[in-house]
Amino acid sequence: MAQVTIPTTATEGVDLSDAAPLSRSRTRERLLGLLLFLPSLVVFGVFVFYPMARTVWLGFFETDFFGGNRSWVGFRQYGDVLGSSEFRNSLKVTILFALYTVPTGLALGVGLAVLAHKQLRGIGFFRTTFSSTVATSVAVASLMWLVLLNPSIGLLTQILPFEILKNPGLLRSPTWALLAVGLTTVWQNLGFTFLVMTAGLQSIPEELYESARIDGAGGWRQFTNVTLPLLSPTLLFGFVVLTINAFQSFGQIDLLTQGGPLERTNVIVYSIYRNAFGQNVDQGAAAAQAVVLFVIVLVLTVVQFRVLERRVHYGS
């Protein structure tokens, strides 16, 4: 009768002669990974983490003209920023600016991407045209719109019959200035949203459209029942990115309106710029505003993912 040996421990009967070389190999892999990660860590530390930490620290001080630490005030400066009428106005303007630009930009991006997705003759020209704003800098685009909306010589002023374009001009009107800046921002972001939505559309299998057509679905039902659900991850990505861009907009504001007229386009980032480098320099207050803006954008992004991601369809 054969004798059966039962191991009494987990390692009994297992050859451990290869364990030590395996452990050394994993250690070398981890060291190599850390070594490859080190340059990125240094770059992020110097250009991202240190400025962020310095900004948070600076927000606890009242500073002199050159930004040197003058006196510790703690969280009082953050409270003063949150309670100031200037910050509340900037926050309101920024939220309105985001409401003007984000839904409009997404809707136009989706619409143009759907049109350009069709296999028509000469569609490549329109695809290139729709995506061309990606290669246009904020400065160039802003100057172009500054000329187009000029009350005296602007092309839109000469073509369109609206009196507001001539007197006082969209960019000089307290009622229309923010909307005009929003229009230029939508145009500037259109190339990005078009390319992102086009990439999302190309990932949808054509078989799904063929099945929908066999079932008798028309163009609108295909769009609502096939395109939008499968495009929802791309829409979420575009929504989050455009919202962050809206809260960080600066270049077009500086070139088109400088925060005016009557502070109607003074978004938070431009208000930070004024406090940091304007006539009444207060870099401590500017740092506190920057930290508050970071927290607002962070919370907004988390809420967007928590709320909207439940409605996203990832296909699988």
Side-chain angles (χ1 to χ4, degrees):
M1 183 176 180
Q3 184 177 2
V4 178
T5 302
I6 302 175
T8 56
T9 65
T11 58
E12 188 176 347
V14 177
D15 186 7
L16 298 178
S17 59
D18 294 335
L22 184 61
S23 177
R24 284 196 295 272
S25 175
R26 287 180 177 175
T27 302
R28 283 198 298 270
E29 288 180 358
R30 288 172 182 171
L31 288 176
L32 179 60
L34 289 174
L35 189 63
L36 295 174
F37 180 64
L38 189 59
S40 300
L41 187 62
V42 171
V43 171
F44 276 97
V46 172
F47 294 104
V48 178
F49 301 135
Y50 172 74
M52 287 180 64
R54 178 68 179 171
T55 301
V56 174
W57 181 247
L58 196 61
F60 293 115
F61 291 88
E62 285 185 346
T63 60
D64 56 24
F65 184 81
F66 298 102
N69 297 343
R70 191 170 63 184
S71 60
W72 169 270
V73 294
F75 285 98
R76 193 192 75 191
Q77 187 143 251
Y78 288 93
D80 292 343
V81 166
L82 292 173
S84 68
S85 58
E86 179 190 356
F87 181 79
R88 289 200 298 270
N89 175 70
S90 297
L91 181 60
K92 175 185 174 184
V93 170
T94 306
I95 292 174
L96 281 176
F97 184 69
L99 291 176
Y100 289 162
T101 58
V102 176
T104 309
L106 271 183
L108 283 176
V110 172
L112 293 178
V114 169
L115 289 176
H117 192 59
K118 298 181 181 300
Q119 300 300 323
L120 302 175
R121 178 177 294 181
I123 199 66
F125 169 77
F126 292 100
R127 288 174 181 167
T128 305
T129 303
F130 296 155
S131 59
S132 61
T133 60
V134 173
T136 307
S137 68
V138 174
V140 172
S142 300
L143 289 174
M144 187 184 74
W145 278 96
L146 192 63
V147 174
L148 287 173
L149 296 175
N150 187 286
S152 301
I153 61 172
L155 179 62
L156 295 181
T157 308
Q158 305 299 322
I159 295 175
L160 299 177
F162 305 113
E163 180 62 25
I164 188 66
L165 291 171
K166 302 178 179 61
N167 186 25
L170 286 182
L171 296 174
R172 298 177 185 175
S173 167
T175 305
W176 296 99
L178 186 62
L179 200 61
V181 177
L183 172 67
T184 67
T185 304
V186 169
W187 184 88
Q188 292 169 21
N189 292 333
L190 190 57
F192 166 77
T193 52
F194 170 75
L195 289 176
V196 170
M197 296 306 153
T198 299
L201 286 176
Q202 290 177 346
S203 66
I204 300 176
E206 187 61 29
E207 292 79 6
L208 294 178
Y209 290 107
E210 293 178 2
S211 300
R213 284 192 288 269
I214 292 172
D215 291 339
W220 178 249
R221 286 197 62 188
Q222 291 179 37
F223 178 73
T224 55
N225 294 351
V226 178
T227 303
L228 279 183
L230 295 182
L231 196 62
S232 54
T234 311
L235 285 170
L236 175 63
F237 170 76
F239 186 73
V240 171
V241 171
L242 289 182
T243 303
I244 293 174
N245 285 343
F247 274 79
Q248 294 179 341
S249 294
F250 171 76
Q252 62 271 48
I253 302 292
D254 186 42
L255 289 167
L256 294 175
T257 61
Q258 290 83 45
L262 302 177
E263 307 293 315
R264 297 298 175 86
T265 61
N266 187 22
V267 295
I268 295 179
V269 175
Y270 196 75
S271 177
I272 294 171
Y273 167 75
R274 278 181 169 175
N275 284 326
F277 307 106
Q279 293 181 346
N280 301 318
V281 176
D282 189 351
Q283 295 198 359
Q289 277 184 288
V291 174
V292 172
L293 174 62
F294 169 75
V295 173
I296 290 174
V297 173
L298 179 64
V299 171
L300 199 58
T301 304
V302 171
V303 170
Q304 285 175 329
F305 273 107
R306 289 289 180 90
V307 174
L308 299 179
E309 201 169 30
R310 298 172 185 171
R311 299 181 179 276
V312 171
H313 180 73
Y314 287 104
S316 60

